[in-house]
Amino acid sequence: MAASRYDIAGQIPIPGTREADLVECIMHDFAELQIWRNTTATQWEEVAELIAPNYRNTFMYGNYNWPGQKKTERQIDCTGMMALSRFAAICDSLITPRNMIWHQLEADNEYVMKDRASKLWFHNTTMAMFKARYAPIANFASQNAQVFNHLGAFGTGPMFVDQAADEGGDLLRAMRYKSIPLGEMYLMENHQGLINGCIRWFRLTARQCKTKWPNKPLPQTLQSAYDAGSQTLFNFLHHIVPNKERDAKRLDAKGMKFASTYICIEGKNVMQEGGYRTFPISAGRYEQAPGEVYGRSPAMMVLPALKTLNAEKAMFLKVGHRAADPVLLTYDDGIVDYKFKPGSFNKGGVNAEGKRLIDTLPVGELQISKEMMDEERQLINDAFLVSLFQILTETPTMTATEVIERTNEKGILIAPSMGRQFSEHVGVFVPRELDLMDSMGMLEPMPPRLREAWKAKEFGFHVRATSPLSRAMEAQEASGFIRSMETTKELVAVTQDQSLLDVYDMDVAQSEMARIQGTPAPWMASPQAIARKRQARAQALAKQQQIQAAPAAAALIKAQAAAGGGGPPQSAPMAPQQPAGQQGQQ
């Protein structure tokens, strides 16, 4: 980048021709993206009013919210908010559960994966990645949960992955994760529908700007605010797009795949230019409508139900208030002063025949209102996948076969919407993490075979899912095996032919079913332990058979001895013959 021109004092930058053109180009792109996103942002605002009030008035450029501003005055029913929280927990537990290794790295080349050293390198790299990801400074767990909240409410969950830095701006040997509020993010797709560019709008004070870019002179407006210690917020844009001028032979920003530019809107100047080797932002989308860049969420799909439930709850409260504190109807006889305190006397409240002269105004039916609200709540819980995870609570006495069948059903229902999160969310930030760890020297040296494949450009890797969601999708294999076994058992019962079971490899089937159902590997016996158990069981069975056969053998010997006149039995059992190679060892 050509250096900017400065004023006489050399302190205030004056944008040069190239810099001014770059700022103008970015501002033009930003204006275009705003126009195309405004309609979607309007729907996000409606959703936020009902289930995510903290995000109200954050989706349009230029918005401002006073800290601590109340935003829940339009929210009456909390079913949607609770369902959103449960949806985020479901996504986290199915896709990225903290208590397990939810993905593995593997080479695309099968020849490489046959090498034990290469397999060990991928395993160690995966373990190192999880250690860096869940380090306290990375803050992955909380930011990832926020991503799933965005996904459930607004259909798109962006997250920024970068190298961590300290307060002075010096880079650390660690990663950091940041869930970007959707109102700040403007996404761009390539021709294949993959997100490969974005503009992020954010605000900083002059002091924060100076901390982020300590060596960059501040524009005039920001410099005045910095000198005065003002807390005024200024607008900035972060523009990330594929690098059209990339020179692959260069090692600086000009050789990177993605160009990065920070600009200050008030000063209309470039604050920083750089680049990324891998796209730093993952943005999972729940469902997409044709021709749209942003996803559509469960909340957007049941937005009519959320609005209806909110209106029904208001009606329910009104009817309940009237039932608890009813409107009184009185006879027009001049009695107007009624006392409602306990133990009070109201003279003239009945006529001479004892008939009450005061009655209550009939109110609406509370039971019908509750039934109407329950119907909407069921729709909302279904959309947020809450109903799928109430099966074991509702039917706690299911057999193992029924549990597997239900798990298979859940995998079939969840896979279309949740499965894409592994490709658009996990599948994007894992390569980014690997790139950052490589640049920070956090990876072990490659073994020889893997290094050879890398030099020959035959090395590639993929991310294999090992999460509960992937196991739920594999549950149909376990379910199919059990159904097949039950069918074979019926045939064996009819034909009395046990050989029909020989087609099944029980050892492989049991280990695979244990893996699908999430049984920890240390809880499973090793092949050597299994062999020892079977040998001990075979020896015990042989000994038991000898004990059971002993009385019959003794009776036979006695009968033969009596028939032969007390001589040795003619058909005494012979000692087992030993192999020829062992006869000389007696």
Side-chain angles (χ1 to χ4, degrees), residues 192-262:
Q192 295 179 321
L194 301 177
I195 295 175
N196 70 335
C198 69
I199 295 180
R200 182 194 173 198
W201 163 63
F202 61 99
R203 288 189 175 113
L204 295 175
T205 64
R207 182 184 62 81
Q208 292 171 334
C209 180
K210 190 66 176 177
T211 303
K212 183 172 179 59
W213 298 290
N215 300 321
K216 179 73 176 180
L218 298 177
Q220 175 65 52
T221 307
L222 275 73
Q223 185 64 48
S224 301
Y226 181 78
D227 295 337
S230 173
Q231 294 300 308
T232 302
L233 294 171
F234 297 92
N235 297 287
F236 296 85
L237 296 180
H238 187 194
H239 184 252
I240 305 174
V241 291
N243 191 354
K244 297 180 181 179
E245 301 176 355
R246 183 190 178 202
D247 183 358
K249 297 180 180 180
R250 299 184 58 165
L251 299 178
D252 59 0
K254 296 292 184 181
M256 296 184 181
K257 292 183 179 181
F258 296 91
S260 168
T261 308
Y262 285 91

Side-chain angles (χ1 to χ4, degrees), residues 297-551:
S297 66
M300 295 166 74
M301 290 188 289
V302 292
L303 185 56
L306 289 168
K307 290 183 176 181
T308 301
L309 181 58
N310 220 40
E312 289 175 348
K313 186 63 173 288
M315 179 180 61
F316 178 78
L317 293 175
K318 185 183 296 184
V319 173
H321 189 189
R322 287 175 178 173
D325 188 11
V327 177
L328 299 179
L329 302 177
T330 63
Y331 179 68
D332 187 11
D333 60 351
I335 302 177
V336 294
D337 186 17
Y338 291 103
K339 303 179 183 66
F340 296 98
K341 294 181 180 179
S344 299
F345 291 92
N346 288 292
K347 295 181 179 181
V350 295
N351 59 15
E353 291 79 17
K355 184 178 180 180
R356 290 186 298 174
L357 300 180
I358 306 171
D359 204 350
T360 58
L361 180 69
V363 298
E365 180 61 45
L366 280 173
Q367 186 61 34
I368 295 177
S369 299
K370 291 180 66 176
E371 292 176 359
M372 293 169 61
M373 288 193 298
D374 288 342
E375 184 175 349
E376 301 301 329
R377 286 192 176 113
Q378 184 62 39
L379 293 173
I380 294 169
N381 287 330
D382 287 346
F384 283 98
L385 308 179
V386 176
S387 302
L388 290 177
F389 291 85
Q390 295 175 342
I391 297 172
L392 293 179
T393 304
E394 296 171 354
T395 53
T397 58
M398 288 191 299
T399 63
T401 303
E402 290 174 331
V403 171
I404 292 177
E405 290 289 349
R406 293 294 182 89
T407 304
N408 181 28
E409 292 176 4
K410 284 196 287 187
I412 293 173
L413 294 173
I414 295 173
S417 53
M418 290 289 101
R420 69 179 297 170
Q421 304 312 313
F422 198 85
S423 59
E424 291 192 339
H425 180 49
V426 177
V428 173
F429 74 71
V430 169
R432 172 65 176 163
E433 292 171 330
L434 193 62
D435 174 65
L436 289 173
M437 293 178 67
D438 183 32
S439 65
M440 292 185 289
M442 299 174 67
L443 300 181
E444 296 179 354
M446 291 184 181
R449 183 175 296 183
L450 190 60
R451 192 182 307 114
E452 290 176 7
W454 180 74
K455 289 181 179 179
K457 297 183 179 181
E458 298 176 353
F459 166 63
F461 75 95
H462 61 269
V463 184
R464 180 173 63 86
T466 57
S467 63
L469 175 61
S470 64
R471 290 201 300 265
M473 291 188 290
E474 293 175 348
Q476 56 184 331
E477 299 177 5
S479 176
F481 177 78
I482 290 178
R483 287 196 298 266
S484 179
M485 280 288 297
E486 290 177 348
T487 303
T488 306
K489 284 167 57 180
E490 295 293 332
L491 294 175
V492 170
V494 173
T495 62
Q496 299 299 314
D497 184 4
Q498 295 289 334
S499 65
L500 296 177
L501 295 171
D502 295 342
V503 298
Y504 301 107
D505 191 333
M506 296 300 180
D507 290 344
V508 174
Q510 283 186 309
S511 61
E512 284 299 302
M513 290 177 66
R515 180 186 63 82
I516 290 172
Q517 296 181 40
T519 304
W523 295 7
M524 303 294 294
S526 65
Q528 294 79 8
I530 294 174
R532 289 194 298 269
K533 291 179 181 179
R534 290 177 175 173
Q535 183 179 6
R537 188 162 49 249
Q539 292 175 352
L541 179 61
K543 185 179 294 185
Q544 183 66 25
Q545 290 176 346
Q546 290 178 358
I547 294 174
Q548 293 176 352

Side-chain angles (χ1 to χ4, degrees), residues 263-285:
I263 70 169
C264 175
I265 295 179
E266 281 80 5
K268 297 190 183 305
N269 67 307
V270 175
M271 302 300 296
Q272 179 184 344
E273 281 194 83
Y276 299 102
R277 291 179 296 273
T278 51
F279 193 58
I281 292 176
S282 67
R285 294 168 288 185

